[in-house]
Amino acid sequence: MPPALKAVTTGSAAFTPDSFFSAWTDERQKDPVPNNDLRSAIIRAFELKPDDAYVYHAIASVTLQQVQTAVAQGGDRGLHAWYRDEKGEILEAPPQSDIDAYTSMFNPAIASSKSFSNFVSNAKKQSLRSTIGSHLASLRQIPSTISIPRSKIYVNPYLDFWRWSCHNLEWCGPNESTADLKNSHHVLPIFMHHFGCVCPSYESIEVMKALSRKRRIIDMGSGNGYWSYMLRRAGLDIAAVDNMQSLWRTMWIDDTIVEDGMKYLTRNNSGKDDVLLLVYPIVSLDFTKQILAKYAGDTICIAGTQNANGYTAFKDITVNEYFEKEMNNFEKMVQIPLPSFAGKDEAIYVFERKASTS
């Protein structure tokens, strides 16, 4: 596939990233998918033709119409079977109030630490919400020195679509059993193609802003550039690097450095003065291991799976386990949950090189 060097959406003559965000009004933020009609919402948002028949290839190959049909089926045929008991029986769907509480953890207008604490402390004993809260609380780590300011003007269309998906797909967040899930939903390829594999949160961007300390961030494996675009909107200096072997319907930036990651690091002093960001790093070809070994800088950010399902970064070991075993010259500073799509358990980590004792 030839590299996509323009910020475009295939099938849209009018799309530009800045105009997309400008058109993302308060009304759209509150109700991104009116009447649960995702097909029409995507066509309207990206200014596609009414008879759009693009095939989205990801975990499955689907069209917008096929996805809309799946959305209309609700939880039939186990489409919303995210939670099971010890016997494997499907549990009752979480109440919408608990889903509200989960999505509120990522609301930039609310202090993230407060909304997280409320989600955990207000859960009924032995409820599904309590298992989710316990799981997330056991993994969350953020130093008290990082203060996240609240924002009522933050715009993130992906977050709004994700929030809708939580309510529609009856998803209240990951717990310990999420690592065993093999199923996903037809909606995910749409989100992946238009926005990316995982949604950046306001908190994650502010954390990176604080810990980057005005250094350049290398977005290694930048994909369609949504994370790079969002980080730039926050005022950060980003070098987006990708070999462009994957196909995306939407590209958010027009300056992707189309190059093998190892070659890029070799040409750029192994990133010694830069922050390294890996968003949903692939497991195959030992890509993550090679990039981490090559990097000579002091700060590594990884956005991906935080359980042991082997979906990102490493097949048989978690990110925490890998750093403890193979990169103990780095110290974990941050691990905070990201807005996880139904059936996923995602977080952003930040590791910093330990000070030399010599």
Side-chain angles (χ1 to χ4, degrees):
M1 185 200 80
L5 298 177
K6 295 182 179 180
V8 298
T9 288
T10 302
S12 173
F15 170 84
T16 69
D18 291 346
S19 63
F20 185 98
F21 269 68
S22 295
W24 202 251
T25 60
D26 289 346
E27 178 185 355
R28 286 191 175 185
Q29 291 180 46
K30 294 176 182 177
D31 188 13
V33 186
N35 303 313
N36 292 320
D37 187 350
L38 180 62
R39 179 181 181 276
S40 295
I42 292 293
I43 287 174
R44 177 191 177 197
F46 290 91
E47 300 183 78
L48 305 174
K49 294 180 179 179
D51 60 349
D52 183 82
Y54 183 92
V55 179
Y56 296 80
H57 298 289
I59 55 173
S61 296
V62 294
T63 64
L64 283 173
Q65 185 55 60
Q66 289 171 331
V67 172
Q68 187 58 44
T69 299
V71 168
Q73 290 176 347
D76 292 351
R77 297 187 299 154
L79 286 175
H80 296 178
W82 314 117
Y83 308 105
R84 296 178 183 269
D85 61 21
E86 295 177 352
K87 297 180 180 179
E89 298 295 325
I90 299 174
L91 295 174
E92 183 178 347
Q96 290 293 318
S97 58
D98 283 354
I99 298 174
D100 266 330
Y102 172 59
T103 60
S104 291
M105 288 197 295
F106 305 98
N107 184 343
I110 304 173
S112 53
S113 57
K114 180 180 179 181
S115 57
F116 184 84
S117 297
N118 288 342
F119 182 83
V120 175
S121 62
N122 293 334
K124 295 179 180 178
K125 291 183 178 180
Q126 298 182 328
S127 66
L128 177 59
R129 174 172 167 174
S130 71
T131 68
I132 295 166
S134 296
H135 172 68
L136 295 177
S138 70
L139 297 172
R140 181 177 170 86
Q141 175 181 326
I142 184 169
S144 59
T145 53
I146 297 179
S147 177
I148 308 296
R150 288 181 286 181
S151 174
K152 294 184 178 181
I153 60 172
Y154 177 74
V155 178
N156 183 351
Y158 194 175
L159 186 67
D160 299 325
F161 275 107
W162 168 81
R163 188 183 66 251
W164 164 82
S165 75
C166 290
H167 285 281
N168 186 268
L169 303 181
E170 300 177 295
W171 169 249
C172 192
N175 59 14
E176 291 290 338
S177 66
T178 302
D180 299 323
L181 279 176
K182 305 300 180 185
N183 58 308
S184 187
H185 195 276
H186 307 67
V187 167
L188 185 55
I190 309 302
F191 286 3
M192 283 182 166
H193 267 264
H194 285 292
F195 296 107
C197 295
V198 62
C199 180
S201 66
Y202 173 73
E203 184 182 32
S204 67
I205 290 174
E206 288 297 311
V207 163
M208 292 181 64
K209 191 174 182 179
L211 294 180
S212 65
R213 297 184 287 277
K214 298 184 179 181
R215 290 170 291 169
R216 181 177 64 170
I217 297 174
I218 301 172
D219 185 359
M220 183 65 71
S222 56
N224 74 351
Y226 190 78
W227 275 71
S228 287
Y229 183 80
M230 291 297 295
L231 289 166
R232 286 172 176 171
R233 284 177 62 89
L236 299 176
D237 180 15
I238 308 297
V241 182
D242 199 285
N243 62 13
M244 297 309 297
Q245 289 185 353
S246 296
L247 176 65
W248 309 89
R249 185 167 194 184
T250 295
M251 287 293 298
W252 288 91
I253 58 175
D254 58 10
D255 62 346
T256 301
I257 300 167
V258 183
E259 187 173 9
D260 173 80
M262 293 292 286
K263 291 181 179 178
Y264 176 84
L265 288 178
T266 299
R267 285 197 309 104
N268 288 272
N269 199 26
S270 297
K272 183 173 176 58
D273 299 318
D274 303 317
V275 174
L276 176 66
L277 169 63
L278 295 165
V279 177
Y280 247 58
I282 61 173
V283 174
S284 61
L285 304 176
D286 281 338
F287 169 79
T288 306
K289 293 180 181 179
Q290 292 182 32
I291 292 295
L292 292 177
K294 182 70 174 177
Y295 175 66
D298 296 329
T299 305
I300 298 170
C301 306
I302 300 177
T305 300
Q306 66 175 346
N307 62 25
N309 68 4
Y311 196 66
T312 64
F314 312 107
K315 182 179 180 180
D316 301 315
I317 192 170
T318 66
V319 169
N320 281 328
E321 290 168 343
Y322 184 82
F323 271 77
E324 289 171 3
K325 182 179 179 181
E326 304 292 343
M327 300 190 69
N328 56 17
N329 56 329
F330 278 81
E331 178 183 8
K332 185 173 71 173
M333 305 300 295
V334 172
Q335 181 178 349
I336 53 175
L338 288 171
S340 297
F341 186 79
K344 306 297 182 186
D345 184 4
E346 295 149 340
I348 187 164
Y349 303 80
V350 181
F351 296 89
E352 292 203 330
R353 192 181 298 274
K354 297 177 182 177
S356 175
T357 56
S358 59

